[in-house]
Amino acid sequence: MILLLDELPLGLALPLFGVCALVIGIVGTRLTGIVDDLADRTGLGEAIAGAVLLGMATSLSGIVVSVSAALADRPTLAMSNALGGIAVQTLFLSIADITHRRANLEHAAASLGNLMQGGLLLCLLSLVLVGRFAPEWTLWQVHPVTPVLLLGYLFGLRLVGRSRDNPMWQPAQTRDTQPDVPDERAMSRSATQLSLSFTALAVTLGISGWLLERSAAVIAEQTGLGQSVVGALMTAVVTSLPELVTSLAAVRRGALTLAVAVIVGGNAFDTLFVAASDIAYRGGSIYHAIPDAVSLWVALAMLMTGILMVGMLYRQRQGPAHIGFESVGVIACYLAGALALLLAP
């Protein structure tokens, strides 16, 4: 099956790309509603449900890309897909901000959970850089930073959950703030029923994303682009489409905290792509097998996340073109990074 997909002619790869993108759009929209209802039905809250449930489900295709690339001895593709995906998903949050015309999205979706997820993401991305510049030590071909990444993510989620139960800081409420309160409609369906629907849609999303990536790989291969460009600007965008769809769908439902959580919390989960890729890669430390062009995306993702967190703390109601200054900054960072990658020798 994989061989046949790799040998697809361009004339078939393009329609497959379009069909899978359409499936992801429909399924992603439906998945957002189910996770929103699950957050209310179970008491998880939109920040945790968006980061863990929705972030994990929409990341299925991306982790398949990175792990399969690492197994196939293509570490540059594996890492550029993972790190480029974090950058492009942060860019997608700016697109969601543009669609929310009433006020700046980061102002309306003020949430301690999302701020803590952003801090967790900065810590995890910093660990990736630590692995890149630390000595090339491995145990069973796995770098010591990899288990620290996994433990750091789990510990960070525990802190986010505790902060929701016993918050020590709360954002000021304004007329534009959209609080995370349970929707009575969510109580009409059982948690089991919602969980089964979530699982079925998540599997569909993962399969569709994988097929979408395979068609994108065929298209990219025939252009002659390198692994860094293909990973950061092609497969990263393709496998991040669920995050864009679900974030926009959450904005339309009025679940603004969920719209931000699926990106910021999903990005924190996506750093585990690096850990999974290091375990799958048999050539030693994957952190030391990547070029500087890929390391650039770690720095860019940290910069974009930092700008986003400043925006969530400052909470500008209206900015340029009715979006926050943080969205303008994030868009500028991503475009500068893409240009630098395309112009790199």
Side-chain angles (χ1 to χ4, degrees), residues 36-37 40-41 182-189 253:
D36 189 20
D37 289 344
D40 296 337
R41 191 71 177 79
D183 188 341
E184 292 182 0
R185 293 175 301 176
M187 303 305 170
S188 62
R189 300 176 64 184
R253 284 176 60 92

Side-chain angles (χ1 to χ4, degrees), residues 211-229:
L211 291 172
L212 189 66
E213 181 276 326
R214 299 312 308 169
S215 62
V218 171
I219 297 168
E221 182 180 351
Q222 296 190 23
T223 66
L225 295 173
Q227 286 187 28
S228 296
V229 174

Side-chain angles (χ1 to χ4, degrees), residues 70-92:
L71 285 170
D73 196 27
R74 291 193 290 266
T76 299
L77 178 59
M79 293 289 275
S80 58
N81 173 73
L83 301 170
I86 292 173
V88 76
Q89 285 161 200
T90 309
L91 174 69
F92 287 166

Side-chain angles (χ1 to χ4, degrees), residues 177-251:
T177 303
Q178 182 70 42
D180 177 11
V181 295
D183 188 341
E184 292 182 0
R185 293 175 301 176
M187 303 305 170
S188 62
R189 300 176 64 184
S190 68
T192 301
Q193 189 179 18
L194 289 168
S195 298
L196 290 174
S197 298
F198 169 82
T199 302
L201 290 175
V203 171
T204 303
L205 200 58
I207 295 172
S208 299
W210 179 76
L211 291 172
L212 189 66
E213 181 276 326
R214 299 312 308 169
S215 62
V218 171
I219 297 168
E221 182 180 351
Q222 296 190 23
T223 66
L225 295 173
Q227 286 187 28
S228 296
V229 174
V230 171
L233 301 182
M234 191 75 179
T235 62
V237 173
V238 167
T239 56
S240 297
L241 285 177
E243 281 82 356
L244 173 62
V245 172
T246 51
S247 185
L248 293 176
V251 169

Side-chain angles (χ1 to χ4, degrees), residues 29-343:
T29 302
R30 179 59 181 153
L31 193 63
T32 305
I34 289 178
V35 171
D36 189 20
D37 289 344
L38 265 175
D40 296 337
R41 191 71 177 79
T42 62
L44 281 174
E46 290 179 2
I48 289 291
V52 180
L53 297 180
L54 201 50
M56 189 181 301
T58 55
S59 296
L60 287 174
S61 57
I63 199 166
V64 168
V65 174
S66 288
V67 170
S68 59
L71 285 170
D73 196 27
R74 291 193 290 266
T76 299
L77 178 59
M79 293 289 275
S80 58
N81 173 73
L83 301 170
I86 292 173
V88 76
Q89 285 161 200
T90 309
L91 174 69
F92 287 166
L93 190 56
S94 298
I95 297 175
D97 187 16
I98 293 171
T99 65
H100 186 64
R101 306 304 297 166
R102 180 178 174 181
N104 177 13
L105 179 61
E106 284 74 28
H107 171 91
S111 164
L112 175 58
N114 283 335
L115 277 170
M116 292 196 66
Q117 290 281 0
L120 172 61
L121 174 57
L122 285 177
C123 292
L124 296 175
L125 287 171
S126 299
L127 280 173
V128 175
L129 281 182
V130 169
R132 175 74 172 83
F133 295 106
E136 195 172 349
W137 298 329
T138 61
L139 179 63
W140 296 307
Q141 305 300 317
V142 176
H143 195 275
V145 163
T146 292
V148 177
L149 265 175
L150 295 169
L151 293 174
Y153 176 75
L154 294 175
F155 179 70
L157 283 185
R158 184 182 181 188
L159 290 181
V160 173
R162 285 185 171 182
S163 70
R164 182 178 183 275
D165 296 333
N166 186 28
M168 301 299 292
W169 176 92
Q170 290 184 347
Q173 300 297 303
T174 71
R175 66 177 184 273
D176 296 314
T177 303
Q178 182 70 42
D180 177 11
V181 295
D183 188 341
E184 292 182 0
R185 293 175 301 176
M187 303 305 170
S188 62
R189 300 176 64 184
S190 68
T192 301
Q193 189 179 18
L194 289 168
S195 298
L196 290 174
S197 298
F198 169 82
T199 302
L201 290 175
V203 171
T204 303
L205 200 58
I207 295 172
S208 299
W210 179 76
L211 291 172
L212 189 66
E213 181 276 326
R214 299 312 308 169
S215 62
V218 171
I219 297 168
E221 182 180 351
Q222 296 190 23
T223 66
L225 295 173
Q227 286 187 28
S228 296
V229 174
V230 171
L233 301 182
M234 191 75 179
T235 62
V237 173
V238 167
T239 56
S240 297
L241 285 177
E243 281 82 356
L244 173 62
V245 172
T246 51
S247 185
L248 293 176
V251 169
R252 287 197 299 271
R253 284 176 60 92
L256 303 185
T257 301
L258 182 66
V260 176
V262 70
I263 298 295
V264 181
N267 280 348
F269 178 81
D270 286 1
T271 59
L272 300 185
F273 290 12
V274 177
S277 298
D278 186 41
I279 294 171
Y281 182 56
R282 296 292 83 197
S285 166
I286 200 169
Y287 305 94
H288 296 82
I290 57 174
D292 290 340
V294 176
S295 298
L296 168 66
W297 286 97
V298 185
L300 274 174
M302 293 178 69
L303 177 59
M304 294 166 76
T305 303
I307 292 172
L308 180 62
M309 290 184 67
V310 170
M312 287 193 287
L313 285 168
Y314 184 70
R315 300 186 65 201
Q316 182 183 33
R317 272 197 179 91
Q318 296 284 354
H322 297 286
I323 61 175
F325 71 87
E326 67 278 1
S327 291
V328 176
V330 164
I331 293 171
C333 286
Y334 184 83
L335 292 177
L339 182 62
L341 185 59
L342 291 171
L343 296 179

